[in-house]
Amino acid sequence: MIKVSDKETGQFLGEITNEDLKYLIDQLEEEVRASRVHGQIPELIDDLSRRSAYPYEAATVEVCQTHISVVFLAGPFVYKLKKPVDLGFLDFTTLEKRRHFCHEEVRLNRRLAPDVYLGVVPVTRVQDRLVFEGAGEVVDFAVKMRRLPDDATLQARLGDGALAPETLAKLGRRIAGFHRR
């Protein structure tokens, strides 16, 4: 057993086993590795928020984030990157894993939205800037999608009262049928 004391006061806090200490050290090392990877996200967002980061003239760029993705709404297209995170139930910590899961997202979602999911594209470094679909060094991958009108979302249509109960029931039946296959 290892005795643990407060560093500043010297007050005894308790005891832990060597096994518990090793576990704590492993957890701290993993947090340090993760923070290094997460430190790349601000640069990525800054560079890819520029209108010139796109292979076409993007009038505006909006950025949305979830716990696992960064989404860039740029004119007629949407680019979705997977954050380099490991949450236990998913692991996007390597470039190869992010590329793989981008392809999986396209493969799976094309079944219901083939005209929306356009493919997987590289994020490249060109002259010290990151761009989508560039000719430089590949630093990440993104799912490229056709952008749908903001008023076409289920949330917007519900808010406008544009969905009748029978439409929602039909949608529910279609989704349930899809998942039964």
Side-chain angles (χ1 to χ4, degrees), residues 37-57:
V37 172
H38 290 155
Q40 300 167 359
I41 293 173
E43 174 201 3
L44 184 138
I45 292 172
D46 286 347
D47 277 3
L48 298 177
S49 295
R50 294 175 300 105
R51 294 181 305 156
S52 60
Y54 298 84
Y56 54 89
E57 196 65 34

Side-chain angles (χ1 to χ4, degrees), residues 9 34 48 67 74 78 95 101 112 116 118 124 128 131 134-135 149 161 174:
T9 66
L48 298 177
H67 60 297
V78 174
L95 179 63
F101 285 109
L112 287 176
V116 174
L118 303 176
T124 60
D128 295 326
V131 298
R174 177 159 185 200

Side-chain angles (χ1 to χ4, degrees), residues 48-121:
L48 298 177
S49 295
R50 294 175 300 105
R51 294 181 305 156
S52 60
Y54 298 84
Y56 54 89
E57 196 65 34
T60 62
V61 178
E62 298 172 54
V63 180
C64 303
Q65 292 190 59
T66 70
H67 60 297
I68 63 171
S69 300
V70 181
V71 179
F72 298 87
L73 305 158
F77 299 104
V78 174
Y79 293 83
K80 179 179 174 186
L81 284 93
K82 307 219 177 286
K83 290 181 179 177
V85 297
D86 180 351
L87 301 177
F89 62 93
L90 59 79
D91 181 358
F92 298 155
T93 54
T94 68
L95 179 63
E96 179 55 32
K97 288 177 182 179
R98 291 190 300 280
R99 184 198 64 77
H100 169 77
F101 285 109
C102 283
H103 281 287
E104 281 299 287
E105 178 176 343
V106 170
R107 182 183 69 79
L108 293 169
N109 289 331
R110 273 187 174 162
R111 297 176 299 171
L112 287 176
D115 296 335
V116 174
Y117 286 83
L118 303 176
V120 176
V121 299

Side-chain angles (χ1 to χ4, degrees), residues 3 6-7 43-44 62 69 91 112-113 129 131 138-139 157 179:
K3 294 182 181 188
D6 185 288
K7 183 178 178 180
E43 174 201 3
L44 184 138
E62 298 172 54
S69 300
D91 181 358
L112 287 176
R129 290 291 193 161
V131 298
V138 175
V139 298
R157 296 188 69 199
H179 287 288

Side-chain angles (χ1 to χ4, degrees), residues 111-112 167-181:
R111 297 176 299 171
L112 287 176
T167 303
L168 291 172
K170 182 178 176 184
L171 175 63
R173 285 191 299 276
R174 177 159 185 200
I175 292 171
F178 177 80
H179 287 288
R180 272 195 293 269
R181 288 190 267 157

